[in-house]
């Protein structure tokens, strides 16, 4: 019960934190291959502070946020192109198709090929 109350009573993120988070999302959309320390530098905060802000606002790590954005782009390509899984993997910047499949499944709970076989967009 205390855990639930703590989550409800937790103060809302400040506008500065939200601004930094939104800036991070824009940077990741422009260049998802950049390192997390570089994103932090461009956002004007330390890597640990960036991690803290993203965790507080989105309840995920900066790396997980980036992975989800990349998987969303991959899902779009699965539904709108005839690229192979390996080609999509290369286009979105994963160095290994095995790792891409693992991350994709952790996001969507199905493999890229199973996702492609489905008829609806996410």
């Amino acid at each position: 019960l205390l855990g639930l109350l703590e989550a409800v009573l937790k103060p809302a993120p400040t506008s500065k934190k939200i601004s930094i988070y939104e800036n991070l999302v824009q940077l990741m959309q422009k260049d998802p291959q950049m390192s997390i320390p570089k994103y932090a530098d461009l956002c004007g905060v330390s890597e640990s502070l960036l991690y803290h802000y993203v965790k507080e606002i989105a309840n995920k790590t900066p790396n997980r946020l980036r992975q989800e954005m990349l998987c969303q782009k991959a899902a779009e390509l699965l539904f709108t192109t005839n690229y192979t899984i390996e080609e999509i993997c290369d286009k979105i910047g994963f160095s290994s198709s095995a790792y891409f499949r693992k991350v994709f499944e952790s996001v969507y709970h199905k493999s890229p090929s199973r996702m492609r076989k489905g008829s609806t967009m996410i």
Side-chain angles (χ1 to χ4, degrees):
L1 183 60
L2 283 175
L4 292 174
L5 283 174
E6 186 178 283
V8 172
L9 297 175
K10 193 175 189 179
T14 63
S15 60
K16 177 186 174 190
K17 292 176 186 178
I18 292 171
S19 176
I20 290 169
Y21 175 81
E22 289 171 348
N23 188 31
L24 173 64
V25 169
Q26 289 177 350
L27 289 168
M28 285 181 170
Q29 288 171 338
K30 287 180 188 172
D31 185 359
Q33 303 312 315
M34 203 180 307
S35 70
I36 300 300
K38 182 67 176 174
Y39 288 129
D41 186 48
L42 292 171
C43 288
V45 295
S46 68
E47 187 177 352
S48 61
L49 193 56
L50 183 70
Y51 178 93
H52 175 74
Y53 288 174
V54 173
K55 192 74 172 164
E56 182 178 336
I57 292 168
N59 197 29
K60 56 188 79 169
T61 65
N63 192 51
R64 182 60 178 189
L65 179 66
R66 178 177 49 192
Q67 288 174 341
E68 289 176 1
M69 294 171 91
L70 289 171
C71 287
Q72 183 177 13
K73 178 64 177 166
E76 291 171 14
L77 292 171
L78 284 168
F79 286 106
T80 61
T81 70
N82 289 323
Y83 294 140
T84 66
I85 304 297
E86 288 73 23
E87 289 171 325
I88 290 172
C89 175
D90 288 341
K91 288 194 176 299
I92 63 172
F94 277 86
S95 58
S96 154
S97 60
Y99 181 63
F100 163 67
R101 285 180 173 92
K102 178 181 176 180
V103 171
F104 192 92
E105 284 189 45
S106 76
V107 172
Y108 291 116
H109 307 291
K110 54 175 82 170
S111 69
S113 54
R114 273 190 57 214
M115 178 72 78
R116 177 171 264 168
K117 289 178 186 173
S119 60
T120 58
M121 179 65 181
I122 299 167

